[in-house]
Amino acid sequence: MIPAAEARMGIEHQNVGIFYQVRITDGVLRPEASGETAESVWTSISDVAGLCRSSLVDVGLALARTLPATGHVSPVAVGGLIRH
């Protein structure tokens, strides 16, 4: 991961994401102790496309939608601050 300030300057970089298919059984959402996540909410997959999100989320949506046998989907084109 690169600092947001460097991303804003247009420094070329590559993100690698690892996605897991999970089933939520119990628990309460809470912020991470490190402060990396400011807020957590449960959101249905159908509502995610309407949110301000990182392009990397689109990879996760494509995986959830297609469940490819290889576990891979095509790269997502990114521009600007990698947000939709």
Side-chain angles (χ1 to χ4, degrees):
M1 178 167 31
I2 67 169
E6 290 184 28
R8 287 186 187 97
M9 292 187 322
I11 295 174
E12 190 171 321
H13 65 282
Q14 177 179 341
N15 285 334
V16 176
I18 299 173
F19 295 85
Y20 297 92
Q21 184 176 9
V22 300
R23 183 172 53 97
I24 300 162
T25 58
D26 196 13
V28 176
L29 291 174
R30 63 186 184 278
E32 291 177 295
S34 67
E36 290 289 322
T37 301
E39 180 182 10
S40 300
V41 296
W42 295 121
T43 305
S44 66
I45 288 180
S46 61
D47 291 339
V48 172
L51 300 175
C52 179
R53 64 196 185 281
S54 163
S55 296
L56 194 56
V57 172
D58 290 340
V59 174
L61 290 173
L63 287 166
R65 187 174 50 252
T66 62
L67 297 174
T70 62
H72 297 272
V73 293
S74 299
V76 173
V78 175
L81 293 178
I82 65 167
R83 293 195 177 275
H84 293 282

